Amino acid sequence: SDGLSVLVGRNNAANEKLTLKTAENGDLWFHVKNASGSHTVLQAAGAEPSEGAYTEAAEIAAYHSSLNGSQNIPVDYTRIKNVKKAVGQKTGMVYYESYNTAYVTPDESKIENLRVK
């Protein structure tokens, strides 16, 4: 809603491409904690987004995860520069450090209203 773009990977290959190739160091990366889900990138270009933008990106990440339908879903987020791929890991698998965790409950109608058609 703040005019920032949020990009979402749809599978392991798309997650890896989004996180390691498309996203820039100043962008923010979101992923549901300890569960499978889409890599989600808030394109911030190094700026500090509003609290609402953080929340929306976390909700989008939670919605596109195996925990969708749950409440108070933990979503980790960090600057993309803190996300790395370990040598030999499967496609789409990454590790990250220096992160925070948000707890969100995604609302499908809100997510659909944010989607660019």
Side-chain angles (χ1 to χ4, degrees), residues 16-92:
E16 185 164 310
K17 181 179 178 188
L18 173 61
T19 300
L20 303 176
K21 304 274 189 230
T22 304
E24 298 178 0
N25 280 341
D27 294 340
L28 290 148
W29 182 85
F30 294 77
H31 194 279
V32 68
K33 187 178 199 76
N34 298 327
S36 61
S38 294
H39 293 200
T40 304
V41 173
L42 174 60
Q43 293 186 303
E48 187 57 40
S50 69
E51 185 176 320
Y54 274 99
T55 300
E56 287 174 353
E59 289 172 343
I60 291 167
Y63 179 77
H64 290 95
S65 78
S66 61
L67 299 179
N68 184 14
S70 302
Q71 294 184 0
N72 293 318
I73 299 170
V75 177
D76 290 342
Y77 62 95
T78 188
R79 290 281 174 186
I80 201 76
K81 66 182 180 180
N82 297 322
V83 182
K84 311 283 187 230
K85 180 171 178 75
V87 175
Q89 282 291 335
K90 293 180 185 176
T91 302

